[in-house]
């Protein structure tokens, strides 16, 4: 049978391999392991206790062959002054043409952050309004909240990750459920963890005159495994207030990372709306006041009100009558399968590659693999439409037939390269006979 190589289409903006690692690990964790990690976190008093917790978590992630962290690793990676190359900075092109800065942690720091991220996931219970980077929740769950409403209102938070300063992370770790504070006798650990998760970098902030100014701040980097989970932790209060204002105006509310969505049967979203609350504020003003007080900024260029009768989208999914993928998504899948069926794999790749790059705006290291991309898109389609959907099953069957041919060819080429042409011919002949 053909191989299914998972792609990163399930979460918005391809949130990274670290989230898939966390999901797979959490599925395997037994209740006793979860309780052990929570108990060990609550009992931490020293750096040595924290190191022991990291190592027990690392063993769960990496298995018996894991290499334990040492105290010198923790000291080195938690101090950006002694480790100036903790992150590699690069830029990726957005679809809009602008560039997004990514800070990728080095191997040692990333390993620590993966373990710490799992600890965060197990210690902190995410609120019901947050859907991004949450185990057992998906982009489909987020979209379902807003199905069948006459009005869907989307806003985007500007520079989401670097909007959160180290001091804010440090302060949040000092209160429940983490309680890393003087009273508990482990305040030093809040400093260490905040240092592991944050990095000094150039950011843009709005000054008192409403102008954007560049400065250097110690913030959450986009690219660290811990940053997505920490944004949900930091946004607990934001979600509480926005959920409350939604209830006051009869709206539904959800947040997927920096994408915030409200929906309703009534239009309350205009700047001059006459529908006001008991304080005399309309929704437009109250929303912006809350977001400003929570130290975030709305990206007004991405704010949009979608009315019924036109296509309504929530984080890339259609929500007019049911959750669905855009029609273009299906057309693209059919087109790439058609290329493969009509011209063969190698020729199909020459058609696929420029289309994929133009659509994504960037690619990771190496050339995108047509088989992997189609596989990932089918996984995404299955998640949205369900495993018994007729369209999904037809496209899956076409792919399965094609993939059964390409995989033996790849295997034979590998054998040719490693063991020589004679062995490759033998394997090839055996494949034909079978």
């Amino acid at each position: 049978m053909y191989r299914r190589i998972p792609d990163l289409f399930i979460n918005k903006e391809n949130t990274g391999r670290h989230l898939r690692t966390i999901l797979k690990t959490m599925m395997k964790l037994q209740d006793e392991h979860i309780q052990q990690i929570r108990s060990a976190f609550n009992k931490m008093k020293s750096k040595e206790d924290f190191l022991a917790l990291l190592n027990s978590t690392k063993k769960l992630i990496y298995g018996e062959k894991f290499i334990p962290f040492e105290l010198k690793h923790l000291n080195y990676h938690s101090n950006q002054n002694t480790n100036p190359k903790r992150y590699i900075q690069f830029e990726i092109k957005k679809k809009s043409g602008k560039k997004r800065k990514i800070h990728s942690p080095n191997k040692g720091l990333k390993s620590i952050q993966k373990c710490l991220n799992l600890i965060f996931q197990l210690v902190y219970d995410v609120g019901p309004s947050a859907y991004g980077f949450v185990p057992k929740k998906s982009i489909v769950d987020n979209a379902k909240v807003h199905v069948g409403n006459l009005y869907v209102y989307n806003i985007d938070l500007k520079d989401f990750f670097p909007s959160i300063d180290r001091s804010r992370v440090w302060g949040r770790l000092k209160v429940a459920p983490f309680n890393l504070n003087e009273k508990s006798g482990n305040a030093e650990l809040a400093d260490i963890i905040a240092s592991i998760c944050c990095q000094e970098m150039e950011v843009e902030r709005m000054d008192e005159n409403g102008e954007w100014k560049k400065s250097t701040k110690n913030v959450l980097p986009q690219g660290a495994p811990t940053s997505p989970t920490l944004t949900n932790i930091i946004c607990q209060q934001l979600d509480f207030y926005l959920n409350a204002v939604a209830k006051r105006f009869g709206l539904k509310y959800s947040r997927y990372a920096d994408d915030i969505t409200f929906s309703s049967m009534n239009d309350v979203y205009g700047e001059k709306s006459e529908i006001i609350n008991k304080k005399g504020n309309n929704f437009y003003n109250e929303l912006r006041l809350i977001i400003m007080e929570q130290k975030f900024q709305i990206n007004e260029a991405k704010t949009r009100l979608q009315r019924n009768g036109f296509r309504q989208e929530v984080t890339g999914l259609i929500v007019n009558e049911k959750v669905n993928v855009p029609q273009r998504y299906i057309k693209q899948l059919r087109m790439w399968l058609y290329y493969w069926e009509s011209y063969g794999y190698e020729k199909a790749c020459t058609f696929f590659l420029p289309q994929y790059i133009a659509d994504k705006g960037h690619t990771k290291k190496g050339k995108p693999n047509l088989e992997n991309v189609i596989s990932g898109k089918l996984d995404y389609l299955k998640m949205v439409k369900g495993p018994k959907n007729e369209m999904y099953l037809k496209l899956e069957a076409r792919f399965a037939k094609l993939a059964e041919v390409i995989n033996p060819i790849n295997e034979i080429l590998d054998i040719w390269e490693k063991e020589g042409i004679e062995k490759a011919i033998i394997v090839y002949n055996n494949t034909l006979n079978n």
Side-chain angles (χ1 to χ4, degrees), residues 76-286:
Y76 181 67
H77 290 295
S78 63
N79 189 338
Q80 61 184 344
N81 294 323
T82 59
N83 183 10
K85 295 183 179 180
R86 297 203 307 171
Y87 288 89
I88 298 171
Q89 180 181 326
F90 59 94
E91 294 181 336
I92 59 175
K93 189 178 179 181
K94 302 180 185 179
K95 290 184 181 180
S96 63
K98 296 182 179 179
K99 293 182 178 180
R100 173 181 285 119
K101 289 183 179 180
I102 302 295
H103 289 77
S104 178
N106 64 32
K107 186 176 180 181
L109 178 59
K110 188 174 184 178
S111 184
I112 293 174
Q113 288 176 341
K114 281 184 177 181
C115 299
L116 184 53
N117 193 46
L118 178 56
I119 294 168
F120 285 150
Q121 296 272 7
L122 297 180
V123 173
Y124 177 78
D125 294 323
V126 179
S129 299
Y131 288 86
F133 316 114
V134 181
K136 299 182 181 181
K137 287 186 179 182
S138 73
I139 199 170
V140 178
D141 298 317
N142 180 61
K144 283 180 179 178
V145 175
H146 306 285
V147 169
N149 283 283
L150 294 180
Y151 300 92
V152 177
Y153 186 65
N154 305 115
I155 67 172
D156 180 87
L157 299 180
K158 177 178 169 60
D159 298 334
F160 185 50
F161 291 96
S163 293
I164 299 173
D165 292 343
R166 179 189 180 280
S167 59
R168 201 168 173 186
V169 175
W170 173 81
R172 186 64 185 83
L173 291 171
K174 296 177 82 68
V175 298
F178 306 104
N179 298 314
L180 302 177
N181 51 48
E182 290 77 8
K183 184 177 179 180
S184 300
N186 52 15
E188 175 196 19
L189 298 180
D191 291 321
I192 294 171
I193 293 174
S195 296
I196 289 171
C197 299
C198 298
Q199 176 73 7
E200 282 193 355
M201 64 183 71
E202 186 180 74
V203 297
E204 275 192 320
R205 295 290 168 84
M206 185 179 287
D207 64 15
E208 60 276 6
N209 299 319
E211 296 181 358
W212 289 97
K213 302 288 186 181
K214 290 184 178 181
S215 60
T216 299
K217 300 284 186 181
N218 205 338
V219 298
L220 285 183
Q222 182 162 358
T226 43
S227 291
T229 303
L230 278 171
T231 58
N232 281 332
I233 295 170
I234 295 296
C235 287
Q236 180 187 37
Q237 198 168 36
L238 173 70
D239 289 334
F240 175 82
Y241 287 128
L242 291 184
N243 207 24
V245 75
K247 289 181 179 179
R248 287 196 291 273
F249 285 92
L251 317 176
K252 294 179 180 179
Y253 163 71
S254 72
R255 180 180 59 81
Y256 195 99
D258 55 347
D259 278 334
I260 291 174
T261 306
F262 296 91
S263 61
S264 62
M265 303 304 288
N266 299 309
D267 184 3
V268 302
Y269 306 102
E271 186 175 358
K272 297 180 180 180
S273 173
E274 296 180 357
I275 302 175
I276 60 175
N277 60 15
K278 293 180 180 180
K279 295 182 180 180
N281 294 326
N282 64 18
F283 173 79
Y284 180 94
N285 293 324
E286 188 161 354

